[in-house]
Amino acid sequence: MISLPRHLLVGLAAAFSAFHVVLGVYTIRMPESAVPAVVAMALYAAATVLSLAPWPTLRLPIGVAAGNIGVTAVGLILVLSQLDAAEENGYATWIIGAVGTLMTITAVRQRPWFAWAGIGVMIVAVLVWTGDPLELPALGAIGGPVWVGVAHATTLTIVRASRDARLLELAEQRAAEWQAQEEAEFFERRLRLGQMDSEVAPMLRRIVTADGELTADERRECLHLEAAMRDEIRGRRLLDDRVRNAVRDARRRGVEVTLLDDGGIDDLDRTAHSRVTGVIAREIGGTTADRVVVRTAHDDDEVAVTIVGLRDADPALTAEGLEEEPELDLWLEVPRQGDAV
């Protein structure tokens, strides 16, 4: 695809616009009074500069586009009112071509309906001035609509092509995301199967060998293995080898441990993640609570992980019908940044 630098296109538009001003200066003695023509040149030059200015977007501000129509009407009145339509005026009717150029710029800056309105004002003004529609081609009033039509069609084509390109880009991004998700799920499945093979398979073989007759310790170990597999699914980034060992030892001591990763620490770097999991392993390893819940906070929170430990009510009191709420034994918020807690 061939593309032209923006400054080159702006330079060409400025050169065409300046050419009309040069024609106006060249024929400055033909009107009855030069003052209206000079005012029209100044207005036209100002409108052109504003239309070619580097606005934040390609789309021309609506105030500038509406102002171009006003400059068109005023410029035509100022210039044509000083000329005799019955005589040969030559390039003294430069304002007609200038309006066509200005409206073409307006159309390219994605204000086509303002451009067509300006062309309509020009045609009406020329018809009122000459009184003969057949004079329009001779005065150059046909070139403006043609250029505006070309600019309008080209702009529509470019806008549609840009929109299609954006849609294609979005489709490619979604396809890449889908592929990444599929690969991640495939990797996750392989990881889970590998863990099951290394951790659970020996116990499964033991169950088969014992024909399902397990000791009480073996049954408890099965429950611990099942909880460990559940941790791998729900705990995700809350886990590393230190946390796994601490959780396993805590469960063997009779502590009920729950790990819940809701994605709040996915953006932590390796150092911060190691700091957070180190705190989790330390607190779980030294807890005296009966139940421990570790959960991630929101990703926009200053806290990365909350650790809560609860101590169950005294069984003797519960047996006597005196119900008590669990006692808070541990409450710790691990910050996302900073030194270890």
Side-chain angles (χ1 to χ4, degrees), residues 1-265:
M1 179 179 178
I2 300 176
S3 61
L4 296 177
R6 183 179 183 277
H7 62 83
L8 178 60
L9 296 176
V10 172
L12 290 174
F16 275 110
S17 300
F19 175 71
H20 297 298
V21 176
V22 170
L23 292 179
V25 173
Y26 177 74
T27 59
I28 196 68
R29 295 182 179 180
M30 294 186 65
E32 296 180 4
S33 174
V35 175
V38 172
V39 174
M41 291 178 199
L43 292 174
Y44 172 69
T48 300
V49 170
L50 290 175
S51 298
L52 295 176
W55 298 100
T57 61
L58 177 62
R59 192 174 181 85
L60 199 64
I62 192 169
V64 177
N68 288 346
I69 298 176
V71 169
T72 294
V74 173
L76 288 166
I77 293 173
L78 289 174
V79 175
L80 297 182
S81 64
Q82 302 300 312
L83 300 174
D84 187 354
E87 297 181 1
E88 179 63 35
N89 293 292
Y91 293 123
T93 57
W94 61 271
I95 188 63
I96 298 176
V99 168
T101 300
L102 181 60
M103 292 301 106
T104 300
I105 295 173
T106 304
V108 171
R109 295 298 298 264
Q110 297 186 359
R111 292 293 183 184
W113 304 118
F114 285 88
W116 285 117
I119 291 296
V121 170
M122 179 194 70
I123 293 176
V124 170
V126 173
L127 287 176
V128 171
W129 180 59
T130 62
D132 186 3
L134 298 178
E135 292 294 326
L136 292 177
L139 293 171
I142 302 300
V146 171
W147 280 111
V148 169
V150 172
H152 190 182
T154 303
T155 302
L156 287 177
T157 302
I158 293 175
V159 169
R160 289 173 181 171
S162 300
R163 182 185 59 203
D164 292 342
R166 286 195 297 270
L167 292 176
L168 179 60
E169 182 180 359
L170 289 175
E172 290 178 348
Q173 290 178 352
R174 291 175 180 173
E177 292 172 357
W178 176 83
Q179 183 177 3
Q181 181 179 356
E182 289 294 312
E183 292 177 353
E185 291 177 353
F186 176 75
F187 175 78
E188 188 75 9
R189 285 193 295 267
R190 290 188 59 183
L191 179 63
R192 298 288 174 250
L193 289 173
Q195 290 175 340
M196 186 170 291
D197 183 62
S198 61
E199 298 180 12
V200 181
M203 180 57 70
L204 293 177
R205 285 193 288 269
R206 169 63 184 147
I207 294 173
V208 173
T209 303
D211 197 19
E213 298 294 333
L214 302 178
T215 65
D217 291 340
E218 289 174 335
R219 290 180 183 278
R220 281 193 295 269
E221 190 62 24
C222 287
L223 294 177
H224 295 159
L225 287 174
E226 187 273 336
M229 295 304 299
R230 187 169 60 248
D231 290 340
E232 296 295 334
I233 298 173
R234 299 193 303 180
R236 298 176 58 243
R237 293 207 74 198
L238 290 173
L239 292 168
D240 61 7
D241 290 339
R242 294 173 298 176
V243 175
R244 290 186 181 94
N245 294 333
V247 170
R248 183 182 63 246
D249 294 341
R251 283 175 175 150
R252 287 173 177 172
R253 297 196 310 267
V255 181
E256 180 183 338
V257 182
T258 303
L259 303 177
L260 299 172
D261 181 4
D262 297 325
I265 59 174

